[in-house]
Amino acid sequence: VKSYRNFSKTSKTPRRPFERERMESEMMLAGQFGLKTKREIWRVQLTLARIRKAARTLLMLEPTDPKRIFEGRALLKRMYKFGLLDQDTEDGLDYILSLNVTKFLERRLQT
């Protein structure tokens, strides 16, 4: 019996594979954080893009919308749990939009 499953992608390759500025910044990040491959950077970029997209869609809703309140609180709680945002000072969805790759990679454990 075969099981058919659709798995979501974990990384996304860049549109322009040989863009100099992007390649140099990726090499700097890989050297700074001791990454093995560029795919690790691309994986973090994809997760960051998905989180920021969720925050953008929630910010488009009305502030009193129950979906924005419920999902926004859950998204912020996840960011606090990951240690990406400070619970005391950064308590809004707009702080999620200011996250960047280095903030994610600083939380990464060296293996």
Side-chain angles (χ1 to χ4, degrees), residues 2-111:
K2 290 186 178 181
S3 63
Y4 297 99
R5 292 185 182 171
N6 288 328
F7 294 107
S8 59
K9 293 217 173 218
T10 57
S11 65
K12 184 174 182 281
T13 58
R15 284 188 183 156
R16 293 181 167 179
F18 299 107
E19 189 177 21
R20 171 166 285 188
E21 295 84 29
R22 183 193 50 77
M23 289 174 67
E24 289 173 353
S25 67
E26 285 176 353
M27 286 303 291
M28 292 291 289
L29 284 173
Q32 183 180 357
F33 294 103
L35 303 177
K36 184 178 173 186
T37 61
K38 301 244 181 115
R39 186 176 291 131
E40 294 184 49
I41 297 172
W42 300 338
R43 182 182 66 222
V44 170
Q45 287 174 343
L46 183 65
T47 57
L48 179 63
R50 287 180 178 162
I51 289 169
R52 293 182 76 224
K53 181 179 179 185
R56 272 196 311 272
T57 55
L58 289 174
L59 281 169
M60 285 191 280
L61 299 173
E62 293 294 321
T64 57
D65 192 335
K67 180 179 179 180
R68 177 175 169 168
I69 294 169
F70 181 74
E71 292 184 12
R73 208 175 290 144
L75 189 61
L76 282 170
K77 188 176 177 183
R78 193 171 356 146
M79 296 300 105
Y80 300 146
K81 188 175 85 175
F82 289 161
L84 297 171
L85 294 177
D86 185 28
Q87 197 164 5
D88 300 327
T89 58
E90 302 169 327
D91 58 348
L93 287 174
D94 49 340
Y95 289 105
I96 293 176
L97 298 179
S98 66
L99 289 174
N100 56 11
V101 175
T102 55
K103 186 92 169 173
F104 260 82
L105 291 174
E106 286 170 359
R107 298 289 305 151
R108 178 180 173 271
L109 288 174
Q110 293 289 330
T111 55

